[in-house]
Amino acid sequence: MIDLYQRELKKYRNINKKYQEKLKNQNEQLQRLDFLKYQYNEIKQAKLSENEEASLQNELKILNNHEKISQNYYDFLNYFENFNLLSNLYEAISSLKKNINYDERLKEKVDQLEESYFNIEDLFDEIKSNFKNDDFNPNDLEDINERLSVYSNLKRKYKKTTGELISSLITLEKELDELENYDFYLEELEKERNISYNETLKLGREISELRKANAVKLTNDLNQVFNELSLKNTTFEIEFKEVNEENLFKNNGIDVIDFLVSFNKGEPLKPLNKVASGGELSRFMLALKSLSYQDISPKTFIFDEIDSGVSGEVAYNIALKIKSISLIHQVLCVTHLPQVASISDYQLDISKQVIDENRTITNIKVLDYNDRIESIAKMISDGEATQASIALAKELLEKKRN
């Protein structure tokens, strides 16, 4: 449901942003209307066409090189006429054609030559006609330059290509329509915003009701676990705060929640981060995670001396809670309690060493079974392994195995 709420919230925020911007910038929108009208009319009246621009540029190139083009035409015609190229080609083909009587294989080639001859003749006549009908007019050059200047001025002014200028007319037309019908579009946007607001609020309230129901269950479950972790005088409550209407929607719902706790009788409930000591906070988080670890994807949990200040049955209960979490997640635990150390799957001995009189290094050693017995025995007997502490260490490790 959170995913559905977040999608609707994103939709609402986008619509509301558009609505607020349109509402806030009403005067600016009206000023922009005049500018867009001018811009739209200027581009539209220019009647731009990419094909026309390309054609004009080609014509301009021809007119600017008219003298060279005319000379090349003259040379072309002169070669044909002075050297009787067409006549000689015709005679050459006629001579070859006579050999068909003796070699039928020549017929296809002769046909191709005759076809080429007639094509060349037609092209020659067409080019000759173009040359004779050349109607070069210097005034055309001025007209073309004037028309092309319309293209270049608009492209430079708006920093767009001809194609982009033509395409911009569609965007401008749409924006002009919205500005000219400002009140209508504002009203439609407001309706759309209200629909999305109500849908987001509906989903948020459904999530809130689920949270409140789960909060009751979580509170009862935590109070039971607190007793097992030597937090017997702890009072816990989940507070749902009133939210300002302007800041109603949060990324994960409409609730602002605080964990209130009192670790001692007679003390008022206060936010967890303001009243808990390090050990109390650690045990509180252990209690919380022991209830929720099955519902989250595998992670790494680190407990740093979570068992400080406890012993006996409470220490063993803490160990069992940590062990249950480790069945699904990776757990790293720093401890000085033999009950906690013995229940782990692996034990690392961490010690510090001063070398060269001015440098300290940390040593980490993975302990085997015998090393674990000795290490746990030292924990039991305050640093020195005795026969009694060794026996107890073995008992703790065997208990873990069973």
Side-chain angles (χ1 to χ4, degrees):
M1 184 174 286
I2 285 289
D3 290 342
L4 186 60
Y5 166 84
Q6 289 175 337
R7 286 197 298 270
E8 191 61 42
L9 176 59
K10 182 178 180 180
K11 177 183 175 182
Y12 166 73
R13 284 174 172 170
N14 289 335
I15 296 172
N16 188 52
K17 182 180 179 182
K18 292 178 183 177
Y19 175 78
Q20 296 299 335
E21 287 176 351
K22 188 174 282 290
L23 195 63
K24 179 181 177 181
N25 301 326
Q26 185 171 6
N27 292 331
E28 293 179 11
Q29 299 280 13
L30 295 176
Q31 292 175 1
R32 180 166 172 77
L33 176 62
D34 293 334
F35 169 72
L36 291 180
K37 278 183 177 178
Y38 170 79
Q39 189 178 30
Y40 177 79
N41 291 331
E42 183 179 36
I43 297 174
K44 187 171 185 179
Q45 289 171 7
K47 296 180 179 179
L48 304 179
S49 164
E50 289 182 284
N51 290 335
E52 183 199 29
E53 184 182 24
S55 177
L56 289 172
Q57 288 171 341
N58 188 58
E59 288 183 43
L60 180 64
K61 187 176 181 181
I62 292 172
L63 291 174
N64 282 331
N65 296 278
H66 182 266
E67 187 175 341
K68 293 179 181 178
I69 292 171
S70 296
Q71 181 61 48
N72 292 333
Y73 269 126
Y74 178 81
D75 292 342
F76 171 80
L77 296 173
N78 187 52
Y79 276 115
F80 267 79
E81 292 175 343
N82 288 349
F83 292 96
N84 296 318
L85 290 183
L86 283 173
S87 178
N88 289 335
L89 179 58
Y90 180 80
E91 292 299 330
I93 294 171
S94 297
S95 296
L96 184 62
K97 190 175 182 179
K98 295 174 183 179
N99 281 340
I100 295 176
N101 295 325
Y102 311 106
D103 188 351
E104 284 291 334
R105 291 176 300 176
L106 287 174
K107 187 176 186 313
E108 183 179 350
K109 293 182 175 58
V110 170
D111 289 342
Q112 291 176 357
L113 286 169
E114 285 184 332
E115 183 179 357
S116 298
Y117 168 80
F118 290 120
N119 286 335
I120 293 172
E121 184 179 39
D122 290 342
L123 289 170
F124 174 78
D125 290 339
E126 185 178 338
I127 293 170
K128 185 176 181 181
S129 175
N130 290 342
F131 178 69
K132 289 182 177 181
N133 295 327
D134 181 19
D135 54 352
F136 172 73
N137 185 349
N139 292 330
D140 291 344
L141 187 61
E142 183 179 348
D143 292 340
I144 291 173
N145 277 321
E146 184 177 344
R147 178 60 179 160
L148 284 174
S149 69
V150 173
Y151 282 87
S152 59
N153 289 338
L154 287 174
K155 288 193 290 185
R156 183 172 58 254
K157 181 177 182 179
Y158 294 106
K159 294 181 175 58
K160 296 179 184 292
T161 65
T162 299
E164 289 171 341
L165 286 169
I166 295 170
S167 298
S168 70
L169 285 173
I170 300 174
T171 305
L172 288 169
E173 192 170 2
K174 181 180 178 181
E175 193 170 353
L176 279 169
D177 178 60
E178 290 186 5
L179 291 173
E180 288 173 341
N181 298 281
Y182 177 85
D183 292 337
F184 170 78
Y185 282 105
L186 184 64
E187 184 178 345
E188 290 298 306
L189 198 57
E190 185 178 19
K191 289 179 183 177
E192 190 178 354
R193 184 194 68 152
N194 290 340
I195 292 172
S196 182
Y197 173 90
N198 290 330
E199 181 61 24
T200 307
L201 181 59
K202 174 177 171 291
L203 292 168
R205 284 173 173 167
E206 290 176 5
I207 293 170
S208 182
E209 290 304 314
L210 288 173
R211 281 186 176 139
K212 288 174 181 176
N214 287 329
V216 174
K217 182 178 184 306
L218 178 61
T219 301
N220 294 333
D221 291 344
L222 277 176
N223 285 327
Q224 181 176 345
V225 177
F226 288 155
N227 291 328
E228 301 171 2
L229 299 180
S230 190
L231 295 171
K232 295 180 180 180
N233 295 323
T234 299
T235 304
F236 174 73
E237 187 177 297
I238 299 176
E239 180 184 46
F240 287 78
K241 296 182 179 179
E242 291 292 328
V243 182
N244 188 299
E245 183 68 22
E246 293 182 1
N247 300 313
L248 177 62
F249 297 133
K250 309 297 179 185
N251 289 335
N252 292 313
I254 61 173
D255 300 307
V256 174
I257 298 172
D258 208 346
F259 281 10
L260 303 180
V261 66
S262 169
F263 287 101
N264 299 293
K265 286 185 177 181
E267 291 185 1
L269 291 166
K270 292 182 181 179
L272 177 64
N273 62 339
K274 294 183 179 179
V275 297
S277 65
E280 290 171 333
L281 181 60
S282 295
R283 290 200 293 280
F284 178 89
M285 293 307 299
L286 175 61
L288 186 62
K289 289 173 182 177
S290 70
L291 294 175
S292 62
Y293 73 93
Q294 293 180 335
D295 300 323
I296 57 179
S297 57
K299 294 184 178 180
T300 297
F301 291 98
I302 300 176
F303 297 113
D304 186 3
E305 299 196 25
I306 197 170
D307 44 26
S308 60
V310 300
S311 60
E313 182 183 359
V314 174
Y316 189 67
N317 286 336
I318 289 176
L320 291 177
K321 295 294 181 188
I322 297 174
K323 182 64 177 179
S324 65
I325 296 174
S326 73
L327 297 177
I328 296 178
H329 307 275
Q330 182 185 53
V331 176
L332 303 178
C333 180
V334 180
T335 183
H336 292 288
L337 287 181
Q339 294 96 324
V340 176
S342 64
I343 207 167
S344 65
D345 294 319
Y346 300 94
Q347 188 176 338
L348 307 177
D349 181 74
I350 303 173
S351 61
K352 292 184 178 181
Q353 178 183 359
V354 178
I355 59 174
D356 299 331
E357 296 183 356
N358 59 1
R359 184 183 173 198
T360 302
I361 62 172
T362 300
N363 296 312
I364 300 177
K365 178 184 178 183
V366 180
L367 304 182
D368 60 21
Y369 181 74
N370 291 328
D371 290 334
R372 294 188 69 181
I373 291 174
E374 183 177 355
S375 179
I376 293 171
K378 288 179 179 179
M379 285 183 178
I380 295 171
S381 60
D382 197 19
E384 291 293 333
T386 65
Q387 289 185 347
S389 65
I390 289 173
L392 184 54
K394 289 181 179 179
E395 182 181 341
L396 287 173
L397 287 174
E398 288 301 320
K399 186 176 182 180
K400 177 258 180 182
R401 287 184 175 184
N402 297 329

